[in-house]
Amino acid sequence: MNGVRLQKTPSKASRWGRTLGEWPAALFFLLPTVAVLGTFNFYPALYSLYLSLFEWNGLSPTREFVGLANYARLLASGEFWNSLRVTLLYAGGVTLLALALGLGVAVLLNQPIRGQAVYRVLYFLPVITPTVASGVVWKYLFDPTQGVVNRGLAGVGLEGPSWLSDPSWALAAVVVVGVWKRVGFNMVVYLAALQGIPRAYYEAAQLDGAGPWQQFRHITLPLLAPTTFFLVVTALIDAFQVFDLVYVMTSGGPLGGTDVLGYYLYRQGFRYSELGFASAVAYVMFALIFAVTVAQFRLTRGGGQGEG
Amino acid sequence: MKAHWLKVIATTAVALLSLGTAQKLTFWHYWDGTNGQVLQGLIERYQKEHPGVTIEAVFVPGGELLTKLQTAITARQTPTMAISDLVAMPLLTRSGALAPLDDHIRQSNLNLADYFPGPLVYGLYQGKRYSLPVSASNLGLFWNKNLFRAAGLDPNRPPRNWDELLRYARQIKEKTGKWGLELFTQGGEGTTWQTQVYFWGAGAEFLGANNTAPAFNSAQGVRALQFLVDLVQKEKVAPVAPWGLFGRGEAAMVMDGSWMTQFFPQQVNFELGAAAFPFAPGGRPATNMGGEQIFIFQNADAATAKAAWDFINWFSSTPVQVEWDRGTGFLPVRRSVANDPAYRAWVSNARPLMRPFVDSMAFAKPRPPVARYPQISDVFARYVQEALLGRLSPKEALDRAAQEVTPLLR
């Protein structure tokens, strides 16, 4: 791609049309991508924005135009705010815990220990395990009487709660699974970043008499900041859209305790056939994720912590 | 020589005629496994008996059928006919995409009075009938005879009313340490449709006449919910826990579906009993009901619609339904099937546990056929859970549920 042509520095004016004659060719090559993305991504996304202005059950021959009423109804709905709260708790919990654990595991596995490769694979396995399968298995593990979790707790004399049926514990249980699935990914990215830190820094610090904690605090952590930023953004975006785990483990229950936005959207659209309202939920979700992403970009640029 | 020519002409004529009348029908359904095989067998026989008619049965997984029908209706690419879970019928009848069946029913002299009243409630919209029931299931009581024995109860005598149910449950808890009764406490429609059986059994209604307002927060409704809350909170004979205790022998009694008469015997290692579900003293026998309905789409031309109806009429006939119910284990939708000697003999010999479920069809009640039923069900279940967890009194929970359900019925 970067052929001879790019060696001439293009002037600002010619940025969009180096020569007018190249446009048809460019369009021709872009056409397949544009057609596929347009048909399967952009058109449905815009259509959904349009639908969010209607009340429609997907079956009735008429759609009632309601303007912004779906959005108003959404903002007035206690279920929506509960769902937003649950989503923020889930996203915050999974992001922070998986970040801390991922870093810890990465630092440990960066040491020359025996069976290092095996540990790395083991920690990464949950990432590639299908979510639905993991959800089903964890559901068994969390079973109040038969599950490994409560049997283990009973072994040390504790009575575990009825995890997935108890409104005060269900979200914590789902977060545990979310973290379990995320740690491996964070670990791999952190490992790569750790190996990019020159040994010389540590050697210099040792000469100056810095202990392991001081080295970690003043060399490792700051140099990992760009990686941490990257992992926070991707984890938040991921966690905001969580659906399958909740669908399999709790169906949003008990009492809305795990009713994350993704599941709330599914309920409205596909169980209640409220397609207009569900589209409004989707756009509110989009706005939230967009805001998080923009804030993140601002922060990385402002922080000046590197590539970001 | 002449005969030979005649033969040729005759065969050509028949071929041409059958070409002219050849009907290709598409039929979307979600019956898988054995049920799908039984359906395919019946369709093949129908095709053999009705040359010129081809029925292409298309399997769509149950969870996707309604979404696929929505897409098909929006795109005007509907099949000739389809089935649906009865809960989705109110949405479908209001779509304007289904063809009314009244004229067909009249012309074929199909006797609707032979149908159980429950399933017939669905598919009616603005005085017209758009669908016919083709299968049913309902809920009843299963009990663990081994645990009954261990608790010193007569293993062959199920509780008949709530007083006995509570007494048995207490005795089981006391003597064996196991739960007396398992409730579905995990929310959603699973909780709602079981709870409705208790409500109806106490004489409460779920929605008022014409289904325009909630009625579950009546005195009888509060009594029914109070009974369930007491089982959990006061008597501690039923837990709030994931479903499956009964199957593992950790609870002695459970309300479950007629389909489990087939699955429980393969899954459990104890002796099973089944009976109609007990009701409140002074109440009435009641159960909830599921099943499928069949319908024809509006955009079929007259000849195709007629051919589809002919198949539905044949499929609905008593002998075919007997065969269908025996093959699939679905409950009869027609009294003539439930009373058919061959069918009854099959139940007694092959599926004795199913007898009380067949008999319960006479008083099986439909869930209200309203378009927003799934939402209403979720709201109701949520407040039932609030009450079971002791966070709201039954009265308060039902009043709040009624408040949230009212706008969904507009």
Side-chain angles (χ1 to χ4, degrees):
Chain A
M1 235 186 92
N2 298 358
V4 189
R5 205 180 295 277
L6 283 184
Q7 286 172 359
K8 300 191 287 184
T9 330
S11 72
K12 265 208 169 123
S14 68
R15 200 169 144 201
W16 282 101
R18 222 163 270 140
T19 50
L20 228 51
E22 288 179 354
W23 272 96
L27 281 180
F28 177 76
F29 285 115
L30 284 174
L31 195 63
T33 316
V34 169
V36 169
L37 279 179
T39 316
F40 295 107
N41 288 35
F42 298 125
Y43 171 70
L46 289 174
Y47 188 66
S48 165
L49 181 63
Y50 168 77
L51 270 186
S52 75
L53 307 174
F54 290 83
E55 181 168 335
W56 186 45
N57 64 20
L59 278 168
S60 80
T62 53
R63 298 171 193 171
E64 193 192 332
F65 180 78
V66 294
L68 295 176
N70 282 331
Y71 292 93
R73 207 178 112 202
L74 181 68
L75 296 179
S77 150
E79 283 195 14
F80 166 71
W81 291 105
N82 170 60
S83 186
L84 185 60
R85 187 186 60 89
V86 169
T87 310
L88 290 174
L89 283 174
Y90 175 84
V94 168
T95 305
L96 291 179
L97 291 174
L99 208 63
L101 286 172
L103 178 59
V105 174
V107 169
L108 290 180
L109 290 187
N110 201 31
Q111 316 294 324
I113 51 166
R114 216 195 305 195
Q116 191 192 41
V118 177
Y119 286 120
R120 287 181 187 177
V121 169
L122 285 180
Y123 277 104
F124 197 71
L125 269 181
V127 181
I128 52 167
T129 311
T131 313
V132 173
S134 325
V136 171
V137 171
W138 276 97
K139 212 173 147 173
Y140 285 123
L141 299 184
F142 278 126
D143 186 283
T145 51
Q146 306 289 305
V148 171
V149 176
N150 276 7
R151 290 194 168 189
L153 287 174
V156 294
L158 291 170
E159 194 189 343
S162 186
W163 295 99
L164 298 173
S165 312
D166 187 330
S168 23
W169 285 105
L171 186 62
V174 179
V175 166
V176 166
V177 185
V179 170
W180 172 81
K181 267 200 81 63
R182 181 82 201 178
V183 165
F185 179 76
N186 290 359
M187 174 206 70
V188 164
V189 178
Y190 268 137
L191 260 179
L194 282 172
Q195 281 158 10
I197 301 177
R199 298 286 332 150
Y201 294 177
Y202 294 104
E203 285 155 12
Q206 274 164 2
L207 285 179
D208 290 342
W213 168 251
Q214 280 171 317
Q215 288 176 38
F216 177 75
R217 172 73 190 77
H218 296 288
I219 300 173
T220 315
L221 264 190
L223 287 173
L224 287 180
T227 315
T228 305
F229 270 121
F230 164 75
L231 289 176
V232 168
V233 190
T234 49
L236 278 180
I237 292 176
D238 234 37
F240 258 92
Q241 300 183 68
V242 64
F243 165 74
D244 30 15
L245 205 54
V246 169
Y247 178 84
V248 174
M249 290 184 67
T250 59
S251 301
L255 295 178
T258 57
D259 194 18
V260 290
L261 281 171
Y263 192 77
Y264 178 68
L265 164 79
Y266 160 81
R267 271 201 299 144
Q268 301 296 336
F270 300 99
R271 286 193 45 217
Y272 304 163
S273 295
E274 296 254 18
L275 293 187
F277 188 71
S279 298
V281 178
Y283 268 89
V284 169
M285 265 178 87
F286 167 73
L288 285 170
I289 295 173
F290 191 70
V292 170
T293 316
V294 168
Q296 189 58 45
F297 270 117
R298 286 275 160 80
L299 277 174
T300 35
R301 221 186 308 157
Q305 295 286 0
E307 66 255 52
Chain B
M1 195 64 192
K2 211 175 178 183
H4 174 73
W5 275 108
L6 270 178
K7 227 177 178 172
V8 169
I9 289 167
T11 356
T12 320
V14 167
L16 280 175
L17 266 176
S18 65
L19 256 183
T21 58
Q23 289 293 346
K24 189 166 177 289
L25 312 172
T26 45
F27 176 25
W28 289 5
H29 68 90
Y30 56 68
W31 286 313
D32 54 5
T34 317
N35 302 347
Q37 285 166 12
V38 177
L39 177 72
Q40 203 52 47
L42 289 175
I43 286 177
E44 270 155 31
R45 174 136 47 90
Y46 185 81
Q47 291 178 151
K48 222 172 270 166
E49 289 170 13
H50 301 77
V53 180
T54 327
I55 300 173
E56 192 199 344
V58 181
F59 170 78
V60 181
E64 286 162 35
L65 185 66
L66 186 64
T67 315
K68 261 205 99 172
L69 287 177
Q70 281 175 330
T71 320
I73 289 170
T74 315
R76 296 192 179 79
Q77 302 262 324
T78 48
T80 324
M81 54 188 166
I83 58 148
S84 164
D85 186 287
L86 40 76
V87 166
M89 283 319 297
L91 273 181
L92 288 162
T93 51
R94 283 161 181 75
S95 70
L98 309 192
L101 302 178
D102 304 86
D103 290 345
H104 292 303
I105 291 171
R106 206 171 309 121
Q107 280 159 20
S108 308
N109 285 321
L110 180 68
N111 180 14
L112 289 183
D114 183 43
Y115 281 76
F116 289 113
L120 271 189
V121 166
Y122 298 94
L124 268 183
Y125 180 56
Q126 295 186 337
K128 290 192 174 132
R129 173 164 300 285
Y130 291 90
S131 68
L132 277 177
V134 285
S135 64
S137 58
N138 62 29
L139 295 171
L141 175 81
F142 288 93
W143 77 93
N144 179 331
K145 293 190 176 177
N146 302 27
L147 279 179
F148 266 49
R149 264 187 218 106
L153 291 165
D154 178 354
N156 293 314
R157 195 183 181 287
R160 309 272 163 76
N161 56 46
W162 289 0
D163 289 346
E164 289 182 2
L165 183 69
L166 177 58
R167 195 157 50 79
Y168 286 22
R170 276 183 190 147
Q171 196 166 330
I172 285 152
K173 183 78 194 282
E174 197 184 313
K175 295 273 167 62
T176 68
K178 305 284 183 183
W179 298 105
L181 175 71
E182 173 168 26
L183 304 173
F184 190 92
T185 56
Q186 305 299 292
E189 175 62 4
T191 290
T192 298
W193 94 310
Q194 292 214 352
T195 308
Q196 282 165 339
V197 175
Y198 292 91
F199 274 56
W200 291 326
E205 287 297 336
F206 192 70
L207 299 182
N210 302 323
N211 297 322
T212 49
F216 47 69
N217 54 338
S218 62
Q220 295 96 318
V222 173
R223 178 186 173 208
L225 187 54
Q226 185 69 57
F227 177 69
L228 295 177
V229 171
D230 285 348
L231 291 177
V232 174
Q233 296 285 342
K234 192 173 129 210
E235 307 285 345
K236 304 201 190 307
V237 293
V240 174
W243 188 241
L245 299 172
F246 178 80
R248 298 198 299 251
E250 292 175 46
M253 294 179 279
V254 71
M255 182 194 293
D256 212 329
S258 45
W259 58 90
M260 292 311 289
T261 57
Q262 182 178 355
F263 300 119
F264 270 148
Q266 302 161 13
Q267 294 170 359
V268 305
N269 53 3
F270 49 81
E271 206 186 329
L272 278 164
F277 204 81
F279 51 95
R284 59 193 172 184
T287 188
N288 215 329
M289 182 195 71
E292 281 93 31
Q293 305 253 324
I294 197 166
F295 43 86
I296 302 176
F297 282 94
Q298 185 74 271
N299 60 359
D301 61 72
T304 313
K306 178 72 175 60
W309 168 257
D310 287 343
F311 171 73
I312 292 176
N313 192 31
W314 176 83
F315 187 41
S316 301
S317 66
T318 304
V320 177
Q321 281 287 303
V322 166
E323 207 176 321
W324 173 239
D325 289 338
R326 285 173 55 166
T328 57
F330 290 139
L331 293 179
V333 291
R334 303 184 64 156
R335 294 175 217 273
S336 54
V337 176
N339 297 328
D340 181 86
Y343 179 74
R344 293 196 80 84
W346 172 78
V347 170
S348 301
N349 298 328
R351 207 62 80 65
L353 288 172
M354 214 165 89
R355 169 56 59 75
F357 292 89
V358 176
D359 294 339
S360 295
M361 275 312 288
F363 52 79
K365 280 176 74 90
R367 287 161 281 174
V370 291
R372 288 208 169 89
Y373 180 78
Q375 274 129 301
I376 293 170
S377 161
D378 276 5
V379 170
F380 181 76
R382 186 150 44 79
Y383 282 102
V384 169
Q385 284 180 300
E386 294 269 15
L388 291 180
L389 289 168
R391 297 177 160 205
L392 291 174
S393 75
K395 170 97 179 96
E396 209 176 339
L398 292 175
D399 281 344
R400 288 210 205 165
Q403 219 167 34
E404 277 188 45
V405 163
T406 305
L408 297 172
L409 290 167
R410 73 182 151 81

